Structures are given as C-alpha cells and as structure tokens.
Amino acid sequence: MTRTLVFLAVVLAALTQAPTTSGVIALTGARIIDGTGRAPLQQGTIVVNKGFIEAVGEPTAVKIPPGATRVDLSGKTIIPGLINSHAHLNVQQGATLPVRDDLIRRLKTYAMYGVTSAVNLGSRTADELEGLKLRDEQTRVVLDRARIYTGGLNAVGKTPEEARKSVNRLADLKVDLIKYHINGNPNDMTPDTYGALVDEAQKKSLRTFVHIFYLEDAKAAVEKGSDVLAHSIRDQDVDLQFAAELKRRNIGYIPTLTRDLSVFVYETRPAFFDEPFFRRGIALYQEEVDHLSSPATQQQIRNDKQTQSIKPALEQAIRNLKILSDAGVQIAMGTDSGAEGNPGRWQGYFEHVEMEMMVKAGLTPMQVIVAATGGAARVTKVDSKIGTIQLGKWADLVVLNANPLDNIRNTRQIHSVWVGGNRIKN
Ligand SMILES: [Zn+2]
C-alpha cells in the first residue's frame, strides 16, 4: 500500500515537472521574410509542430494551439534557413577524426552560421558513403546540424558508355543530383560523352549540375540538357539571347563569387580574419588560417600568374550575375566552400560574404535572400521540403537581430538558428 502511494507520488511529481508543452512552438512578434520574394510580414506568427511549419501569418490569422511554447521574437527578423547550393562536404585528408565525425563538425559549423542546408557538389571517395548516410538519417533524427544533399562523386567517363555507367552507379547509391565538369581544356569529356551523361541522368530523374568557366561551354552544356550552371561564366559578357534561353529552359545559375575571391584574397592577410563573426568558426578554420597567414604562402599567391588572372575573371562574373538576374534567370546562392584541398573557402562564413558580394553586384537584398533560400531550393529541387517559410515545410529558420533588407550584412546578426524546429545550441 505504502509502496503504491510512493509510486503514485513519484508519477505525480514527474507529471508536474514534465514540460507543459505539447511539443508545439509558436514564434511571435517577428518580421517574417518568407523566401518567396513577397513583401515581409511586419509582425507575424509561426507555429511549428513536430519540426514542420504548421501555420504562418498575421497574429490575428494564426491560432496558437493551447499548450504551445511561445517564444517572443519582437523586434527580430526571421528568414528561412540559408541553403548553399554549391557546397562541398569533404573529409580533411589525413584528419585524425573518423570521417563521420569530421563531416558532422562541418555540418554543425554551417548550421551555427545559419546555413541549414548544404548541397554537396562533389564527394571524395573517402567521404561519399558517409555523406549519403548522413543525408538518409536527417529526416529521422532531431537535427543539430545542417542538412546535406549530395551528388556523390563527380560523374565522369572517357566514352558515352562509361559516362552512362558512372551515372548509373550514382543513381544506385540514390544521390540527389549529378555533377560533372567542363573545364575548357583538352582533357574534357567530348560533347557526345557528356551528352550521354546528361541523357542518362534524365532517365533517372536526376538533375545535372555542370562546372563551367567559359560561355561557349555553358552554351554546349545547356544545349545537351544540363539543368544548373554551378559557377559563373567568367570569360565574357553573356549575350541577352543566351540569358533568355536560360530563363526559358528554367536553368539555375550559381555565381560562386567567393570561390574566385578565395583564389587571390590571401595574397595578404584579409581583415576578416579578425572579424568576430569569422572567429565563431575558428575551431574548424584555425589550421587553414595559420597556413594562409604565413608570408611564404602569401608570396606564392602573389607570384602565381594563374591566381592573378582570376581577378578580372571575378569582375566578369560580377557583371554576368547582374545581366542574368536582370534577365530573370533563377539565381541560387553557392560558394564552393569546403572543397578539400582548397584552403580558405570557409564553410559557414563565406555564405555571408557571398551574399554581400551579390548585393554589391547590383542585386537587391531581397533578391539575394531569395537566391539563398527559396531560389536555391528550387534549383536543387528540394523546394517541397525547405527554402521558404510556408505551410508544410521543415521549420529551418534563422532569427536575426537586425533586418537584412536594410543591409545584407545584417544576416551576420544571428539571434538563433532552428533546424526542423530544433533550436541549435551555439
Ligand atoms: Zn565545387
């Protein structure tokens, strides 16, 4: 009898101490920029249930369920979690951590910076399968890291048959997309070969992302049916006829301006090495910062002709971004951050620099936010799940202390980051 009473008392105590919430969260009072390009809601409510957005709108239009945990975000701005549509999730060569742990610390760094999804355009053999595993897990666990979507290894082939085989292997692994390269040099696949590659990808309902530099190669890749240009066209102005063609075919365009910046910016010590927002990621960045801070490395970068030729290429990229955006081409934010063997492409920090450079190229902050959220999701075909603050999407959110429409650098004023309704601990 006494035992039963004690048991009951324990149960009662547990019940009264248990959170009174239903697992439902209501974020109230914040300005909401939903990632579609629509004008922001000046004061809105978002209801999150089981990680998904269950309601969003004016406070008068959204009923907050009883028992919901209310989070007052008055004075803040909420944007969708940022999506890097050209990222790399590569394990560091010679790293002491197991591959999985190394990839997870990178995804955590992305998330800490508000980049809640990274689209991996190129694994290494050492990390291909772990990347896919992390992708498979992410709908089943409470996420404290960025989501990954991955193309696995780049598709390649010396013949059309080999290219098809390469795509088939990747399709069997259930990759999210196919990535291939046209570098503009004699080692490239022939148009017949990459034509077969794209054709095979289409048969498997996989989108193809192509690495290009030259306008001529971009045209050839589009002609073969490629879906996304994964870098800027950097040799000449894009003609308006081709721009119209990209829009007509609904081709995505990923500028990756910081990729080109990273080639030469370390010829001296960049000021951002001391920026507190950059220092947030220092646990991951330190080794590369040390390498890039050495006078010998800087001297080498200054003396390299190839390196110096990227400066005008970046100017060209900036001009073409404006031309293509004005022509209505779908732009997606991407950085090429994390590519192993290319130090100084900071996972997390560079996405914010990329957005600032896109504004400097002439896009409005709203256009850039769309390119980094809803637009990037459309280009990657994950827009049914993420990218906008709309009913039924994962609650991947970045809460900012200042309005990024006033100044795009306000994306660095991070209050909190939420992935699938889970607030990331910083
Ligand atoms: Zn890349």
Side-chain angles (χ1 to χ4, degrees), residues 86 88 121 179 231 336:
H86 186 158
H88 288 273
L121 296 192
K179 163 85 181 296
H231 287 287
D336 217 352

